[in-house]
C-alpha cells in the first residue's frame, strides 16, 4: 500500500477536487466549497462527474425520489442564495390529507406561508411533456456551473490511491489525479466497492427496499381529486409503514416506505379502499402507471465515511430516516465543504469536524425509529387511529398555533423538524391527555357498537 503524504493535507491554490455524483449532495458540496474558497481567497478546481443526464425523461434522468422539498430546506436554501425557480416546482403543497381506514382529515400547514413543494429530480416520467419545466437536480448542477464547477457526464469506474492524491478513471477512459475525492454516489453499491479500495474502514449504509410509481392523470382531475394536498396513508397493511400520493402537474407520485416493499405489497396498497377513493370512480390505476421502481433508502448511516483525501456525503454517509433526505444531504455536504476549505482534508480533519455532524443525524434517527415504532403500533389499532383522527379533526377547528397534534404530524410527514423536537412536543401533557381522553371515547364507542 502506498503511504499517503499526510503533511500535504491542506487545499491550496490550484488544488483539484472531484465530486463523484451530481445529485443534491454533490451539488451542495460543490456550491459551498466554491463559495467558501472564494471567501478564503483560494482558487480551487471542481469537477463533478455524474453518470446520469437529468435532462432526460424517464429512468435515464431520474434519481428515484418522492420529490418533496420541506419548508425548512426551502428556507435554508433561500438564505444561502439557492432559490428554487417556478419551473422546478411541479406543485406547491399547502395541506396534508391524512387517510386512515376510519376516515380522513385535512391538516393545514401549522404556520401560514409554511409551504412545501413537489418536484421531479429528472425531467419527468417517460412520455411526459416537460412544457418548459425543469429537473431539480439539473437546476442545482447549473448553479454549480455558474459558480465555476465543471460538470462531466461520465461514470467513474476506478479509484486508486497515489502518493499525493487519488487517481480517478472513468468509463470513457478519462484518467486524472485529484487532491480530494468527494463521494456523493447515493446508495450505489458498485460505487461503494470503488470507495472501499481507497477508504478501507468505510462501512456503507444499511438500506431497505421502497417503492415509487408515477401515475399519469389529467391535471384538471388532479386538481379536483388531490388539490394542493399531499395524501398520506397510515393503513394496517403488511410491511408498509407509510404511503403517500404526491400531486405533480400531470402525475401523481406514489411513495411506499416500510420493509422490503415488492409489487405484491404495492398492489395491496393500491387496491385498498382509502387509496381507491382518492381517484375518480372507475379510474384504471394499473394502465395509467408510467413507470415504477423499487429504490433503496437508508435505515442506518455508514461508518468511517472518510480517510485522507477522501470523504463520502449525502446518502452515502448519513441521511435522515425516511424523510427529507435532500435536507440531510445539504447538512452533510455543507459540513464537508467547510471542513475541506477551512480545516483540511486529512482523516483527522473529517473525524473532528464532520463525524459529529453524522453522529447528530444518527442520534436523531434513533429517536425517529422510536417515533415510527409508536406510529406502527397506532397503525395496527383501530381504536388508537380513531382517537388520533378525532384529535386532528377537532384541532383543525382551532387557530393554527393551538393545533399541537396536527403540527406534530405535519413535521413527521414532511421531515421539516428534527425527530428530537417532535418527540419532546409529543410529550406535552395536554396532547397526551387529549389522546388518552379520545382513546377512552373510541373504546366506549367500539364496545357500544359490538353490543
Ligand atoms: C422512495 C424514496 C422517496 C424519497 N422521497 C424523498 C422526498 O420526498 N424528499 C427528500 O428530501 N428525500 C427523499 N428521498 C431521499 C432522497 O432521494 C435522497 O436522500 C437524496 O437523493 C440523496 O442525495 P445524494 O446526492 O446523496 O444521492 P443521489 O440523489 O442518489 O445522487 C447520487 C448520484 O451519484 C451518481 N453516481 C453514482 N455512482 C456514480 C459513478 N460511479 N459515477 C458517476 N456518478 C455516479 C448517480 O447517478 C446519482 O445521480 C427519498 C428516497 C426514496 C428511496
Amino acid at each position: 500500500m502506498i503511504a499517503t503524504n499526510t503533511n500535504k493535507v491542506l487545499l491550496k491554490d490550484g488544488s483539484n477536487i472531484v465530486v463523484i455524483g451530481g445529485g443534491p449532495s454533490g451539488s451542495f458540496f460543490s456550491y459551498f466549497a466554491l463559495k467558501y474558497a472564494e471567501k478564503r481567497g483560494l482558487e480551487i478546481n471542481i469537477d463533478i462527474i455524474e453518470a446520469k443526464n437529468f435532462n432526460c425523461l424517464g429512468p435515464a434522468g431520474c434519481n428515484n425520489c418522492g420529490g418533496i422539498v420541506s419548508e425548512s430546506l426551502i428556507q435554508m436554501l433561500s438564505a444561502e442564495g439557492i432559490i428554487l425557480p417556478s419551473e422546478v416546482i411541479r406543485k406547491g403543497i399547502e395541506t396534508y390529507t391524512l387517510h386512515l381506514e376510519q376516515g380522513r382529515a385535512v391538516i393545514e400547514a401549522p404556520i401560514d406561508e409554511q409551504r412545501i413543494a413537489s418536484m421531479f429530480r429528472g425531467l419527468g416520467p417517460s412520455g411526459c411533456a416537460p412544457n418548459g419545466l425543469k429537473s431539480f437536480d439539473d437546476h442545482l448542477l447549473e448553479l454549480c456551473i455558474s459558480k465555476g464547477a465543471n460538470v462531466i457526464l461520465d461514470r467513474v469506474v476506478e479509484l486508486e490511491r497515489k502518493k499525493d492524491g487519488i487517481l480517478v478513471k472513468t468509463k470513457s477512459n478519462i484518467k486524472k489525479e485529484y487532491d480530494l475525492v468527494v463521494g456523493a454516489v447515493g446508495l450505489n453499491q458498485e460505487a461503494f466497492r470503488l470507495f472501499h479500495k481507497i477508504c478501507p474502514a468505510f462501512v456503507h449504509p444499511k438500506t431497505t427496499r421502497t417503492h415509487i410509481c408515477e401515475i399519469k392523470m389529467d391535471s384538471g382531475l388532479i386538481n379536483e381529486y388531490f388539490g394542493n394536498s399531499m395524501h398520506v396513508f397510515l393503513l394496517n397493511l403488511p410491511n408498509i409503514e407509510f404511503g403517500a400520493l404526491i400531486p405533480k402537474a400531470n402525475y401523481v407520485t406514489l411513495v411506499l416506505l416500510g420493509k422490503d416493499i415488492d409489487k405484491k405489497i404495492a398492489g395491496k396498497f393500491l387496491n385498498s379502499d382509502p387509496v381507491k377513493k382518492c381517484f375518480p370512480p372507475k379510474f384504471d390505476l394499473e394502465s395509467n402507471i408510467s413507470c415504477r421502481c423499487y429504490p433503496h433508502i437508508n435505515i442506518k448511516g455508514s461508518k468511517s465515511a472518510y480517510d485522507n483525501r477522501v470523504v463520502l456525503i449525502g446518502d452515502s454517509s448519513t441521511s435522515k430516516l425516511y424523510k427529507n433526505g435532500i435536507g440531510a444531504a445539504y447538512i452533510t455536504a455543507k459540513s464537508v465543504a467547510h471542513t475541506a476549505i477551512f480545516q483540511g482534508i486529512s482523516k483527522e480533519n473529517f473525524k473532528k469536524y464532520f463525524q459529529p455532524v453524522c453522529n447528530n443525524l444518527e442520534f436523531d434517527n434513533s429517536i425517529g425509529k422510536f417515533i415510527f415504532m409508536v406510529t406502527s403500533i397506532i397503525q395496527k389499532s383501530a381504536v388508537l387511529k380513531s382517537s388520533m383522527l378525532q384529535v386532528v379533526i377537532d384541532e383543525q377547528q382551532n387557530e393554527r398555533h393551538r393545533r399541537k397534534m396536527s403540527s406534530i404530524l405535519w413535521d413527521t410527514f414532511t421531515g421539516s423538524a428534527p425527530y428530537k423536537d417532535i418527540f419532546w412536543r409529543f410529550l406535552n401533557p395536554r396532547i397526551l391527555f387529549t389522546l388518552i381522553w379520545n382513546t377512552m371515547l373510541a373504546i366506549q364507542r367500539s364496545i357500544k357498537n359490538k353490543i
Side-chain angles (χ1 to χ4, degrees):
M1 195 181 137
I2 296 165
T4 308
N5 182 352
T6 45
N7 296 328
K8 200 186 132 191
V9 287
L10 283 177
L11 292 171
K12 55 182 189 190
D13 276 338
S15 284
N16 291 313
I17 301 175
V18 65
V19 180
I20 306 177
S25 60
S27 288
F28 289 139
F29 168 83
S30 309
Y31 178 86
F32 286 112
L34 288 163
K35 189 172 164 174
Y36 294 147
E38 197 183 325
K39 210 168 162 184
R40 233 196 88 184
L42 192 69
E43 281 196 18
I44 53 167
N45 307 307
I46 296 189
D47 287 342
I48 304 174
I49 306 183
E50 169 53 53
K52 287 179 185 159
N53 180 349
F54 302 125
N55 271 321
C56 286
L57 291 174
C62 174
N63 256 338
N64 310 336
C65 171
I68 286 289
V69 194
S70 71
E71 72 268 15
S72 57
L73 182 60
I74 293 177
Q75 279 164 21
M76 280 192 289
L77 293 182
S78 63
E80 305 282 4
I82 305 175
I83 311 289
L84 294 185
S86 55
E87 308 92 83
V88 169
I89 295 168
R90 307 287 167 132
K91 215 168 194 31
I93 303 286
E94 291 169 6
T95 62
Y96 264 59
T97 307
L98 173 65
H99 296 259
L100 310 169
E101 289 90 347
Q102 291 69 17
R104 66 190 206 168
V106 177
I107 302 175
E108 288 179 350
I111 304 168
D112 203 14
E113 293 307 317
Q114 194 174 13
R115 303 281 183 261
I116 52 178
S118 72
M119 45 77 182
F120 281 126
R121 300 286 300 276
L123 204 52
S126 318
C128 100
N131 294 334
L133 294 172
K134 285 179 69 181
S135 134
F136 175 77
D137 287 21
D138 194 57
H139 171 70
L140 293 182
L141 277 181
E142 274 180 10
L143 209 70
C144 296
I145 294 172
S146 72
K147 279 249 156 214
N150 176 34
V151 175
I152 302 165
L153 290 188
D154 206 342
R155 178 174 290 280
V156 171
V157 290
E158 212 179 314
L159 297 172
E160 191 186 332
R161 194 173 278 282
K162 297 283 182 189
K163 187 166 177 285
D164 280 325
I166 288 164
L167 182 68
V168 176
K169 291 185 196 165
T170 71
K171 199 175 169 189
S172 57
N173 222 13
I174 299 175
K175 289 181 193 166
K176 187 171 169 183
E177 195 171 317
Y178 289 92
D179 299 290
L180 170 66
V181 172
V182 178
V185 292
L187 296 171
N188 188 301
Q189 300 296 313
E190 209 45 59
F192 285 159
R193 270 190 277 280
L194 306 179
F195 276 92
H196 284 136
K197 250 181 90 182
I198 55 164
C199 189
F202 171 58
V203 180
H204 60 72
K206 281 204 177 116
T207 62
T208 187
R209 202 171 49 236
T210 64
H211 177 56
I212 302 180
C213 79
E214 302 292 348
I215 304 160
K216 191 164 172 43
M217 230 175 136
D218 175 75
S219 61
L221 283 179
I222 292 184
N223 286 337
E224 189 181 335
Y225 283 84
F226 292 87
N228 288 339
S229 193
M230 173 161 159
H231 293 248
V232 297
F233 299 81
L234 289 181
L235 306 178
N236 188 8
L237 290 172
N239 293 47
I240 299 174
E241 288 195 24
F242 173 84
L245 289 168
I246 307 160
K248 294 178 189 172
N250 284 52
Y251 286 85
V252 176
T253 305
L254 163 69
V255 174
L256 292 179
L257 304 178
K259 196 166 175 284
D260 291 330
I261 314 271
D262 59 18
K263 199 172 175 185
K264 204 169 143 201
I265 296 168
K268 277 193 184 155
F269 178 84
L270 284 174
N271 281 316
S272 67
D273 275 346
V275 176
K276 281 203 283 194
K277 274 187 203 155
C278 289
F279 291 90
K282 300 209 176 99
F283 183 80
D284 185 357
L285 264 169
E286 267 304 316
S287 64
N288 281 294
I289 291 177
S290 300
C291 58
R292 51 169 28 128
C293 60
Y294 298 88
H296 280 245
I297 197 165
N298 299 52
I299 49 169
K300 196 168 195 295
S302 65
K303 288 198 180 113
S304 307
Y306 45 81
D307 206 317
N308 291 319
R309 300 181 181 282
V310 53
V311 59
L312 291 107
I313 55 173
D315 272 11
S316 311
S317 61
T318 306
S319 189
K320 182 172 165 117
L321 183 71
Y322 288 159
K323 304 283 151 179
N324 199 10
I326 300 171
Y330 161 84
I331 292 171
T332 54
K334 191 177 172 189
S335 154
V336 165
H338 198 274
T339 305
I341 301 297
F342 293 110
Q343 307 298 338
I345 52 171
S346 72
K347 184 177 178 179
E348 281 66 36
N349 293 138
F350 293 127
K351 189 173 181 180
K352 187 168 176 193
Y353 298 100
F354 174 49
Q355 185 62 52
V357 173
C358 297
N359 293 349
N360 272 345
L361 282 168
E362 272 305 301
F363 175 69
D364 199 52
N365 284 343
S366 59
I367 300 174
K369 274 183 191 146
F370 178 75
I371 292 175
F372 281 105
M373 194 188 79
V374 173
T375 313
S376 70
I377 294 171
I378 296 175
Q379 218 169 334
K380 290 183 180 70
S381 159
V383 164
L384 291 175
K385 279 201 278 196
S386 298
S387 151
M388 187 173 78
L389 188 67
Q390 197 53 53
V391 173
V392 172
I393 291 171
D394 292 346
E395 273 190 355
Q396 291 299 306
Q397 319 299 321
N398 298 337
E399 293 156 54
R400 280 178 202 257
H401 70 275
R402 291 181 56 208
R403 301 171 189 169
K404 306 275 184 227
M405 185 70 205
S406 305
S407 88
I408 286 175
L409 289 174
W410 176 275
D411 284 337
T412 308
F413 297 144
T414 58
S416 285
Y419 287 123
K420 191 175 65 178
D421 289 8
I422 295 173
F423 178 72
W424 283 117
R425 274 153 54 199
F426 184 74
L427 292 185
N428 179 321
R430 199 189 165 114
I431 292 184
L432 290 175
F433 174 78
T434 319
L435 271 175
I436 292 168
W437 176 249
N438 276 282
T439 305
M440 280 160 51
L441 291 178
I443 293 172
Q444 202 181 37
R445 273 197 304 273
S446 93
I447 292 172
K448 263 191 195 161
N449 287 345
K450 274 182 193 154
I451 296 169

